[in-house]
């Protein structure tokens, strides 16, 4: 049986086209709510014809660290991408981590392509495209920056980066590519625009999952193995009055230590902050004598856990040199900010929903096929999805 090995794992070759879908911000409740509302019949059938599981994503529960974990089959300690943003101690500056130069290993997408597989990758936002497509021989484009040929293929205009249609474009492109090119391996990654605004079971959320259900059903009808997970969950992060519930950690530390003694980095920060105001539930702090501060920060209302660098790197499998002296995670309904003055919340048209913490670690892990040989007590991760979809699917019985 043909197989490939990459990043310490071995994967069997596809027995039929494999489509791995990362639904950005898909808290586990979204899908059962859509099924209950009667708008997602394909997903509703997976309970009997396929496999429904849940898994843990990587912390910080952000988009890039998790997408890269999924496509490498490894945690951030291996691939190096632990946020959108970090403080480069050597350069002494805060930098974006979305350049492939920060990637420390190859993707299994590229490994399969190198071994001769036809591979296609479609992502909603362009920020992920260069990382996911690193050294990939195959098709790779974003909906955000789709070119004329792609627009003609998909038959949809290029949507706004802040829209549900940006994700629909990804699914529509996936179906068209499967019909035209029949790639053996396809990775589709959406955007969490809808999940940041709409809770599970709300009309906007159900409309999104109904849309997704229609495209997945078409991929299923095309004879694809479908494996679906999320990069992270999503929770309400606001007070009863609708205002965001924020610990402005830079302001707190400036008050305690004096201005400029500590540097709070929010790795959620990226060029697209309108829908969350750069507020998430994970921060890292560069500060001397962090150990002494840890207890004090941990006693702040809304802080769930404070870890020193080494402990955080161990527990969350992070590259220690790309995090600060402390890692701070806030509770389920609280986010961490830097200084109040540095957050522009004018784009928040709905009460804040966000992610980043341990409270957003659970994600769905679904397959349109039965699995076998998965150990009962195995802690499943979203980045086990290729292993499960390739090494653990039941053999197809000829009809
Ligand atoms: Zn995300």
């Amino acid at each position: 049986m043909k197989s490939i090995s990459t990043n310490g794992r071995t994967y069997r070759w596809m027995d039929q086209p494999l489509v791995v879908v990362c639904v950005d911000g898909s808290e586990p409740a979204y899908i059962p709510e859509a099924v209950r509302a009667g708008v997602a019949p394909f997903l509703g059938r997976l309970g009997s014809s396929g496999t429904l599981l849940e898994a843990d994503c990587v912390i910080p529960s952000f988009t890039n660290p998790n997408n890269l974990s999924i496509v490498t089959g490894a945690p951030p300690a291996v691939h190096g991408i632990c946020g959108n943003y970090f403080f480069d101690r050597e350069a002494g500056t805060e930098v974006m981590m979305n350049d492939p130069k920060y990637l420390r290993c190859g993707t299994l997408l590229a490994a399969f392509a190198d071994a001769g597989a036809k591979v296609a990758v479609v992502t909603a936002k362009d920020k992920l495209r260069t990382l996911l497509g690193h050294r990939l021989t195959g098709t790779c484009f974003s909906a955000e920056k789709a070119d004329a040929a792609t627009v003609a293929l998909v038959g949809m205009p290029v949507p706004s980066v802040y829209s549900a249609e940006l994700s629909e474009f990804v699914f529509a492109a996936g179906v068209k590519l499967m019909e035209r090119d029949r790639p053996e391996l396809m990775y589709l990654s959406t955007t969490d625009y809808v999940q940041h605004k709409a809770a599970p079971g709300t009309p906007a959320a159900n409309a999104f999952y109904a849309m997704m259900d229609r495209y997945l059903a078409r991929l299923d009808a095309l004879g694809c193995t479908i494996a679906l997970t999320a990069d992270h969950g999503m929770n309400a992060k606001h007070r009863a009055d609708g205002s965001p519930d924020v610990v402005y950690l830079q302001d707190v530390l400036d008050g305690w230590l004096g201005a400029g003694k500590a540097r709070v980095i929010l790795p959620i920060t990226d060029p697209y902050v309108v829908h969350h105001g750069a507020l998430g539930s994970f921060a890292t702090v560069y500060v001397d004598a962090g150990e002494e501060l840890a207890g004090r920060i941990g006693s702040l209302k809304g802080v769930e856990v404070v870890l020193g660098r080494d402990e955080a790197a161990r527990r969350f499998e992070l590259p220690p040199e790309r995090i600060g002296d402390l890692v701070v995670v806030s509770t389920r309904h609280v986010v961490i900010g830097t200084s109040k003055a540095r957050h522009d919340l004018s784009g928040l048209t709905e009460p804040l929903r966000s992610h980043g913490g341990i409270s957003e670690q659970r994600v769905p892990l679904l397959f349109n096929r039965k699995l076998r040989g998965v150990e009962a007590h195995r802690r499943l991760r979203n980045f086990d999805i290729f292993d499960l979809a390739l090494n653990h699917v039941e053999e197809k019985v000829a009809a």
Side-chain angles (χ1 to χ4, degrees):
M1 171 81 62
K2 193 175 174 187
S3 65
I4 67 151
S5 291
T6 185
N7 301 327
R9 302 174 94 163
T10 298
Y11 301 92
R12 284 167 50 175
W13 204 260
M14 293 63 72
D15 62 351
Q16 58 185 31
L18 170 62
V19 182
V20 172
V21 184
C22 177
V23 186
D24 199 324
S26 195
E27 180 69 19
Y30 280 110
I31 289 174
E33 287 288 346
V35 169
R36 193 161 27 245
V39 299
F42 170 73
L43 290 164
R45 283 196 299 276
L46 295 186
S48 53
S49 62
T51 307
L52 305 182
L53 297 167
E54 282 188 16
D56 286 333
C57 73
V58 307
I59 304 294
S61 48
F62 291 138
T63 301
N64 288 15
N66 276 284
N67 268 274
L68 271 298
S69 290
I70 291 167
V71 301
T72 59
V78 174
H79 61 70
I81 306 297
C82 57
N84 294 326
Y85 207 76
F86 81 118
F87 178 64
D88 186 335
R89 285 181 199 258
E90 279 167 36
T93 52
E94 299 178 17
V95 290
M96 296 291 297
M97 215 190 303
N98 58 4
D99 190 297
K101 73 180 179 192
Y102 296 113
L103 198 51
R104 292 176 171 166
C105 68
T107 70
L108 52 89
L109 305 169
F112 267 106
D114 289 345
K118 192 187 276 187
V119 177
V121 176
V122 186
T123 162
K125 290 179 183 173
D126 204 59
K127 72 171 177 181
L128 260 174
R129 183 185 50 79
T130 47
L131 286 171
L132 294 177
H134 186 51
R135 296 203 181 131
L136 170 68
T137 310
T139 305
C140 181
F141 59 83
S142 71
E144 181 185 354
K145 299 265 170 74
D147 64 13
T150 304
V151 169
L153 168 73
V154 177
M156 257 178 87
V158 175
S160 154
V161 71
Y162 297 111
S163 71
E165 287 73 27
L166 195 72
S167 293
E168 176 163 7
F169 192 98
V170 172
F171 288 114
V175 169
K176 293 288 189 186
L177 284 172
M178 190 53 65
E179 288 171 346
R180 189 187 70 179
D181 302 339
R182 203 158 178 85
E184 292 162 279
L185 187 54
M186 187 154 72
Y187 184 68
L188 305 177
S189 185
T190 69
T191 164
D192 55 9
Y193 171 83
V194 168
Q195 289 79 2
H196 268 290
K197 290 184 178 297
T202 57
N206 285 347
F208 181 89
Y209 286 87
M211 172 277 290
M212 187 172 98
D213 192 89
R214 291 192 295 274
Y215 289 102
L216 294 178
R218 287 171 65 186
L219 290 168
D220 180 74
L222 287 165
C224 301
T225 300
I226 298 170
L228 180 149
T229 190
D231 52 349
H232 52 78
M234 188 74 73
N235 275 302
K237 305 280 185 183
H238 57 83
R239 300 190 191 85
D241 66 1
S243 63
D245 199 349
V246 191
V247 176
Y248 287 105
L249 193 56
Q250 187 71 57
D251 288 342
V252 170
L253 295 175
D254 287 352
W256 289 350
L257 308 171
K261 297 286 185 199
R263 181 192 294 268
V264 175
I265 296 284
L266 306 175
I268 194 173
T269 306
D270 75 3
Y272 320 77
V273 297
V274 169
H275 52 315
H276 52 62
L279 293 168
S281 288
F282 182 100
T284 178
V285 184
Y286 293 79
V287 64
D288 293 331
E291 301 290 305
E292 290 156 42
L293 269 179
R296 204 169 166 195
I297 295 172
S299 67
L300 292 169
K301 193 169 172 289
V303 171
E304 180 170 332
V305 67
V306 183
L307 301 171
R309 177 195 293 114
D310 292 341
E311 199 186 348
R314 252 193 321 276
R315 177 166 169 190
F316 300 139
E317 301 166 279
L318 300 173
E321 63 291 339
R322 289 188 184 168
I323 56 177
D325 300 286
L326 295 173
V327 159
V328 184
V329 179
S330 59
T331 55
R332 179 171 297 267
H333 298 299
V334 175
V335 284
I336 303 170
T338 55
S339 301
K340 195 162 202 269
R342 286 175 58 190
H343 290 270
D344 176 9
L345 305 183
S346 60
L348 289 180
T349 52
E350 266 87 17
L352 181 67
R353 296 172 55 76
S354 194
H355 53 94
I358 298 165
S359 46
E360 289 79 41
Q361 190 164 30
R362 296 300 279 171
V363 291
L365 187 57
L366 315 180
F367 303 85
N368 67 339
R369 292 171 66 176
K370 299 282 188 196
L371 302 188
R372 58 172 168 71
V374 183
E375 305 80 52
H377 299 292
R378 174 171 167 186
R379 182 196 182 197
L380 295 172
R381 310 300 303 272
N382 58 353
F383 61 84
D384 293 329
I385 193 166
F386 280 90
D387 170 48
L388 295 169
L390 292 170
N391 300 331
H392 292 279
V393 285
E394 276 188 358
E395 240 107 296
K396 277 274 150 184
V397 183

